[in-house]
Amino acid sequence: MLNIVLFGPPGAGKGTQSQKLIARYNLVHLSTGDLLRSQIAQGTELGLHAKKLMDEGLLVPDEVVIGMIETQLAGNTDAAGFIFDGFPRTVPQAASLDELTQRYDTGVSCMIALEVAEEELVKRLLERGKTSGRPDDQDEAKIRKRVSVYNNETAQVASYYAGQGKFHGLNGIGAIDDIFSQICRIIDANQPVAPVSGGLAADEVKA
Ligand code: AMP
C-alpha cells in the first residue's frame, strides 16, 4: 500500500495536490476536515460539537478524528493506499495512525510537508473564503488563529516523521503542476511503484 501523509498549514495547497495525487496513484483521499464538515452537514451530535471548535480555529479532540480514520480504514480494505490530508495534526494522532495501519500490515510510506509563509496563507485563505462558504476562511483573526494552532500543536508532527526518516519538506509556493511533479518525484523515490492500473501518468493529470 502507498500511504502518504500530506502535511502543511491551512492554505498550503494540500487539498489541491491531493486531488491530483488521487488520480495519479489511484488512492483514497481521507481529509479529516472534509469528514468533519460532512458530519456538520448531516447535523450529527459529533458535527455540532466539532463545529464550535472548527469555527474558532481550534482542533477537535484526538479521539474524534482517530475514530473517523479508524472507520474509513476499515471500510476501504481494498484500497491501493490512502492520502491523509489534514491528519495527523498531533503527535498522539500520528502514533495512532501507525498503530491503525499496522493492523492492516501496512504503514505510512512518506510524509510530504508543503511549506508556505503566514502572510501568503492568510491571503490564500481569505481568497478561498469568498467562494468556499467556510466560516473559518472568512475572518483574518480566525485564519491567524488556525496558523498559530498549526505552529504550536501540529508542526511537531514533522519531527515525529523525521525521526522515522519519512519527512520531506517542499516549498509550497509556485505553480501547482511544478509542486505536483516534485511531490511525485518524492513518492516514486520512496516507493518505487508503477502507477496503479487505472491511475493517470503525471503529465496526463489536469491542474
Ligand atoms: P481542514 O479542512 O483540514 O483545514 O480542517 C478544518 C478544521 O477541522 C480544523 O481547523 C480543525 O478544527 C478541524 N480538524 C481537521 N482535521 C483535524 C485533525 N486531524 N485534528 C483535529 N482537528 C481537525
Side-chain angles (χ1 to χ4, degrees), residues 34-55:
D34 285 352
L35 292 169
L36 288 164
R37 281 185 288 276
S38 147
Q39 293 286 325
I40 293 171
Q42 291 168 48
T44 64
E45 203 173 315
L46 188 159
L48 283 176
H49 179 63
K51 184 174 179 356
K52 292 194 192 101
L53 296 164
M54 291 167 74
D55 284 351

PDB file of all heavy atoms in Angstrom, residues 34-55:
ATOM      1  N   ASP A  34     -12.798  17.426   5.780  1.00  0.00           N
ATOM      2  CA  ASP A  34     -13.978  17.098   4.954  1.00  0.00           C
ATOM      3  C   ASP A  34     -14.917  16.168   5.714  1.00  0.00           C
ATOM      4  O   ASP A  34     -16.142  16.326   5.662  1.00  0.00           O
ATOM      5  CB  ASP A  34     -13.557  16.399   3.650  1.00  0.00           C
ATOM      6  CG  ASP A  34     -12.955  17.365   2.633  1.00  0.00           C
ATOM      7  OD1 ASP A  34     -13.005  18.586   2.871  1.00  0.00           O
ATOM      8  OD2 ASP A  34     -12.424  16.881   1.613  1.00  0.00           O
ATOM      9  N   LEU A  35     -14.347  15.178   6.414  1.00  0.00           N
ATOM     10  CA  LEU A  35     -15.196  14.232   7.164  1.00  0.00           C
ATOM     11  C   LEU A  35     -15.971  14.969   8.260  1.00  0.00           C
ATOM     12  O   LEU A  35     -17.158  14.706   8.487  1.00  0.00           O
ATOM     13  CB  LEU A  35     -14.340  13.113   7.776  1.00  0.00           C
ATOM     14  CG  LEU A  35     -13.691  12.138   6.767  1.00  0.00           C
ATOM     15  CD1 LEU A  35     -12.662  11.250   7.454  1.00  0.00           C
ATOM     16  CD2 LEU A  35     -14.760  11.278   6.092  1.00  0.00           C
ATOM     17  N   LEU A  36     -15.307  15.921   8.905  1.00  0.00           N
ATOM     18  CA  LEU A  36     -15.989  16.695   9.962  1.00  0.00           C
ATOM     19  C   LEU A  36     -17.078  17.586   9.356  1.00  0.00           C
ATOM     20  O   LEU A  36     -18.184  17.680   9.893  1.00  0.00           O
ATOM     21  CB  LEU A  36     -14.972  17.546  10.737  1.00  0.00           C
ATOM     22  CG  LEU A  36     -14.037  16.761  11.660  1.00  0.00           C
ATOM     23  CD1 LEU A  36     -12.832  17.616  12.074  1.00  0.00           C
ATOM     24  CD2 LEU A  36     -14.789  16.279  12.897  1.00  0.00           C
ATOM     25  N   ARG A  37     -16.762  18.227   8.204  1.00  0.00           N
ATOM     26  CA  ARG A  37     -17.770  19.095   7.570  1.00  0.00           C
ATOM     27  C   ARG A  37     -18.970  18.272   7.118  1.00  0.00           C
ATOM     28  O   ARG A  37     -20.102  18.744   7.146  1.00  0.00           O
ATOM     29  CB  ARG A  37     -17.145  19.882   6.404  1.00  0.00           C
ATOM     30  CG  ARG A  37     -16.337  21.098   6.901  1.00  0.00           C
ATOM     31  CD  ARG A  37     -15.809  21.947   5.762  1.00  0.00           C
ATOM     32  NE  ARG A  37     -14.721  21.294   5.063  1.00  0.00           N
ATOM     33  CZ  ARG A  37     -13.451  21.319   5.445  1.00  0.00           C
ATOM     34  NH1 ARG A  37     -13.085  22.004   6.510  1.00  0.00           N
ATOM     35  NH2 ARG A  37     -12.524  20.676   4.763  1.00  0.00           N
ATOM     36  N   SER A  38     -18.732  17.002   6.744  1.00  0.00           N
ATOM     37  CA  SER A  38     -19.864  16.151   6.361  1.00  0.00           C
ATOM     38  C   SER A  38     -20.732  15.832   7.586  1.00  0.00           C
ATOM     39  O   SER A  38     -21.964  15.799   7.498  1.00  0.00           O
ATOM     40  CB  SER A  38     -19.304  14.903   5.664  1.00  0.00           C
ATOM     41  OG  SER A  38     -20.073  13.795   5.906  1.00  0.00           O
ATOM     42  N   GLN A  39     -20.101  15.639   8.732  1.00  0.00           N
ATOM     43  CA  GLN A  39     -20.874  15.430   9.974  1.00  0.00           C
ATOM     44  C   GLN A  39     -21.703  16.677  10.312  1.00  0.00           C
ATOM     45  O   GLN A  39     -22.844  16.574  10.748  1.00  0.00           O
ATOM     46  CB  GLN A  39     -19.929  15.146  11.153  1.00  0.00           C
ATOM     47  CG  GLN A  39     -19.182  13.827  11.051  1.00  0.00           C
ATOM     48  CD  GLN A  39     -20.084  12.628  11.344  1.00  0.00           C
ATOM     49  OE1 GLN A  39     -20.973  12.704  12.166  1.00  0.00           O
ATOM     50  NE2 GLN A  39     -19.864  11.545  10.626  1.00  0.00           N
ATOM     51  N   ILE A  40     -21.106  17.860  10.085  1.00  0.00           N
ATOM     52  CA  ILE A  40     -21.836  19.116  10.351  1.00  0.00           C
ATOM     53  C   ILE A  40     -23.044  19.212   9.417  1.00  0.00           C
ATOM     54  O   ILE A  40     -24.155  19.513   9.849  1.00  0.00           O
ATOM     55  CB  ILE A  40     -20.905  20.342  10.161  1.00  0.00           C
ATOM     56  CG1 ILE A  40     -19.812  20.344  11.234  1.00  0.00           C
ATOM     57  CG2 ILE A  40     -21.704  21.646  10.199  1.00  0.00           C
ATOM     58  CD1 ILE A  40     -18.726  21.381  11.021  1.00  0.00           C
ATOM     59  N   ALA A  41     -22.815  18.896   8.139  1.00  0.00           N
ATOM     60  CA  ALA A  41     -23.906  18.986   7.149  1.00  0.00           C
ATOM     61  C   ALA A  41     -25.038  18.028   7.497  1.00  0.00           C
ATOM     62  O   ALA A  41     -26.207  18.333   7.267  1.00  0.00           O
ATOM     63  CB  ALA A  41     -23.361  18.690   5.750  1.00  0.00           C
ATOM     64  N   GLN A  42     -24.689  16.869   8.075  1.00  0.00           N
ATOM     65  CA  GLN A  42     -25.725  15.893   8.450  1.00  0.00           C
ATOM     66  C   GLN A  42     -26.388  16.245   9.781  1.00  0.00           C
ATOM     67  O   GLN A  42     -27.327  15.584  10.206  1.00  0.00           O
ATOM     68  CB  GLN A  42     -25.111  14.494   8.568  1.00  0.00           C
ATOM     69  CG  GLN A  42     -24.672  13.884   7.241  1.00  0.00           C
ATOM     70  CD  GLN A  42     -23.813  12.647   7.457  1.00  0.00           C
ATOM     71  OE1 GLN A  42     -24.161  11.766   8.234  1.00  0.00           O
ATOM     72  NE2 GLN A  42     -22.675  12.601   6.808  1.00  0.00           N
ATOM     73  N   GLY A  43     -25.837  17.249  10.465  1.00  0.00           N
ATOM     74  CA  GLY A  43     -26.433  17.685  11.731  1.00  0.00           C
ATOM     75  C   GLY A  43     -26.260  16.682  12.857  1.00  0.00           C
ATOM     76  O   GLY A  43     -27.082  16.652  13.787  1.00  0.00           O
ATOM     77  N   THR A  44     -25.208  15.850  12.805  1.00  0.00           N
ATOM     78  CA  THR A  44     -24.993  14.870  13.881  1.00  0.00           C
ATOM     79  C   THR A  44     -24.494  15.577  15.149  1.00  0.00           C
ATOM     80  O   THR A  44     -24.007  16.715  15.098  1.00  0.00           O
ATOM     81  CB  THR A  44     -23.939  13.817  13.486  1.00  0.00           C
ATOM     82  OG1 THR A  44     -22.683  14.488  13.317  1.00  0.00           O
ATOM     83  CG2 THR A  44     -24.312  13.103  12.190  1.00  0.00           C
ATOM     84  N   GLU A  45     -24.581  14.857  16.260  1.00  0.00           N
ATOM     85  CA  GLU A  45     -24.106  15.415  17.528  1.00  0.00           C
ATOM     86  C   GLU A  45     -22.606  15.707  17.456  1.00  0.00           C
ATOM     87  O   GLU A  45     -22.124  16.731  17.912  1.00  0.00           O
ATOM     88  CB  GLU A  45     -24.408  14.409  18.645  1.00  0.00           C
ATOM     89  CG  GLU A  45     -24.476  15.064  20.014  1.00  0.00           C
ATOM     90  CD  GLU A  45     -24.937  14.077  21.060  1.00  0.00           C
ATOM     91  OE1 GLU A  45     -25.908  13.336  20.792  1.00  0.00           O
ATOM     92  OE2 GLU A  45     -24.311  14.041  22.128  1.00  0.00           O
ATOM     93  N   LEU A  46     -21.887  14.749  16.838  1.00  0.00           N
ATOM     94  CA  LEU A  46     -20.439  14.935  16.668  1.00  0.00           C
ATOM     95  C   LEU A  46     -20.172  16.219  15.875  1.00  0.00           C
ATOM     96  O   LEU A  46     -19.305  17.027  16.223  1.00  0.00           O
ATOM     97  CB  LEU A  46     -19.868  13.713  15.933  1.00  0.00           C
ATOM     98  CG  LEU A  46     -18.354  13.570  15.787  1.00  0.00           C
ATOM     99  CD1 LEU A  46     -17.999  12.105  15.528  1.00  0.00           C
ATOM    100  CD2 LEU A  46     -17.766  14.431  14.692  1.00  0.00           C
ATOM    101  N   GLY A  47     -20.969  16.405  14.797  1.00  0.00           N
ATOM    102  CA  GLY A  47     -20.799  17.584  13.956  1.00  0.00           C
ATOM    103  C   GLY A  47     -21.067  18.871  14.714  1.00  0.00           C
ATOM    104  O   GLY A  47     -20.327  19.852  14.576  1.00  0.00           O
ATOM    105  N   LEU A  48     -22.109  18.868  15.525  1.00  0.00           N
ATOM    106  CA  LEU A  48     -22.464  20.078  16.292  1.00  0.00           C
ATOM    107  C   LEU A  48     -21.346  20.458  17.254  1.00  0.00           C
ATOM    108  O   LEU A  48     -20.974  21.626  17.390  1.00  0.00           O
ATOM    109  CB  LEU A  48     -23.747  19.827  17.096  1.00  0.00           C
ATOM    110  CG  LEU A  48     -25.052  19.874  16.301  1.00  0.00           C
ATOM    111  CD1 LEU A  48     -26.238  19.504  17.182  1.00  0.00           C
ATOM    112  CD2 LEU A  48     -25.237  21.272  15.701  1.00  0.00           C
ATOM    113  N   HIS A  49     -20.791  19.443  17.902  1.00  0.00           N
ATOM    114  CA  HIS A  49     -19.708  19.668  18.859  1.00  0.00           C
ATOM    115  C   HIS A  49     -18.460  20.168  18.119  1.00  0.00           C
ATOM    116  O   HIS A  49     -17.812  21.134  18.543  1.00  0.00           O
ATOM    117  CB  HIS A  49     -19.423  18.349  19.597  1.00  0.00           C
ATOM    118  CG  HIS A  49     -18.321  18.461  20.584  1.00  0.00           C
ATOM    119  ND1 HIS A  49     -18.382  19.285  21.683  1.00  0.00           N
ATOM    120  CD2 HIS A  49     -17.110  17.845  20.625  1.00  0.00           C
ATOM    121  CE1 HIS A  49     -17.254  19.178  22.368  1.00  0.00           C
ATOM    122  NE2 HIS A  49     -16.463  18.315  21.748  1.00  0.00           N
ATOM    123  N   ALA A  50     -18.144  19.514  16.976  1.00  0.00           N
ATOM    124  CA  ALA A  50     -16.930  19.872  16.232  1.00  0.00           C
ATOM    125  C   ALA A  50     -17.044  21.284  15.655  1.00  0.00           C
ATOM    126  O   ALA A  50     -16.052  22.019  15.612  1.00  0.00           O
ATOM    127  CB  ALA A  50     -16.700  18.866  15.101  1.00  0.00           C
ATOM    128  N   LYS A  51     -18.251  21.664  15.224  1.00  0.00           N
ATOM    129  CA  LYS A  51     -18.423  22.962  14.550  1.00  0.00           C
ATOM    130  C   LYS A  51     -17.955  24.123  15.430  1.00  0.00           C
ATOM    131  O   LYS A  51     -17.301  25.041  14.957  1.00  0.00           O
ATOM    132  CB  LYS A  51     -19.889  23.148  14.146  1.00  0.00           C
ATOM    133  CG  LYS A  51     -20.125  24.431  13.363  1.00  0.00           C
ATOM    134  CD  LYS A  51     -21.530  24.524  12.860  1.00  0.00           C
ATOM    135  CE  LYS A  51     -21.858  25.792  12.090  1.00  0.00           C
ATOM    136  NZ  LYS A  51     -20.891  26.835  11.955  1.00  0.00           N
ATOM    137  N   LYS A  52     -18.281  24.044  16.706  1.00  0.00           N
ATOM    138  CA  LYS A  52     -17.896  25.137  17.619  1.00  0.00           C
ATOM    139  C   LYS A  52     -16.373  25.301  17.625  1.00  0.00           C
ATOM    140  O   LYS A  52     -15.851  26.411  17.570  1.00  0.00           O
ATOM    141  CB  LYS A  52     -18.376  24.827  19.041  1.00  0.00           C
ATOM    142  CG  LYS A  52     -19.876  24.864  19.191  1.00  0.00           C
ATOM    143  CD  LYS A  52     -20.277  24.887  20.684  1.00  0.00           C
ATOM    144  CE  LYS A  52     -21.756  24.618  20.844  1.00  0.00           C
ATOM    145  NZ  LYS A  52     -22.091  23.261  21.251  1.00  0.00           N
ATOM    146  N   LEU A  53     -15.669  24.175  17.707  1.00  0.00           N
ATOM    147  CA  LEU A  53     -14.202  24.223  17.740  1.00  0.00           C
ATOM    148  C   LEU A  53     -13.645  24.671  16.395  1.00  0.00           C
ATOM    149  O   LEU A  53     -12.730  25.513  16.331  1.00  0.00           O
ATOM    150  CB  LEU A  53     -13.649  22.840  18.110  1.00  0.00           C
ATOM    151  CG  LEU A  53     -14.022  22.359  19.515  1.00  0.00           C
ATOM    152  CD1 LEU A  53     -13.797  20.864  19.661  1.00  0.00           C
ATOM    153  CD2 LEU A  53     -13.208  23.120  20.559  1.00  0.00           C
ATOM    154  N   MET A  54     -14.205  24.130  15.327  1.00  0.00           N
ATOM    155  CA  MET A  54     -13.699  24.458  13.983  1.00  0.00           C
ATOM    156  C   MET A  54     -13.902  25.941  13.673  1.00  0.00           C
ATOM    157  O   MET A  54     -13.027  26.584  13.104  1.00  0.00           O
ATOM    158  CB  MET A  54     -14.397  23.589  12.933  1.00  0.00           C
ATOM    159  CG  MET A  54     -13.977  22.134  13.030  1.00  0.00           C
ATOM    160  SD  MET A  54     -15.028  21.031  12.079  1.00  0.00           S
ATOM    161  CE  MET A  54     -14.514  21.371  10.401  1.00  0.00           C
ATOM    162  N   ASP A  55     -15.048  26.474  14.051  1.00  0.00           N
ATOM    163  CA  ASP A  55     -15.312  27.897  13.786  1.00  0.00           C
ATOM    164  C   ASP A  55     -14.324  28.793  14.527  1.00  0.00           C
ATOM    165  O   ASP A  55     -14.038  29.910  14.101  1.00  0.00           O
ATOM    166  CB  ASP A  55     -16.753  28.269  14.179  1.00  0.00           C
ATOM    167  CG  ASP A  55     -17.770  27.757  13.158  1.00  0.00           C
ATOM    168  OD1 ASP A  55     -17.333  27.280  12.098  1.00  0.00           O
ATOM    169  OD2 ASP A  55     -18.976  27.822  13.434  1.00  0.00           O
TER     170      ASP A  55
END
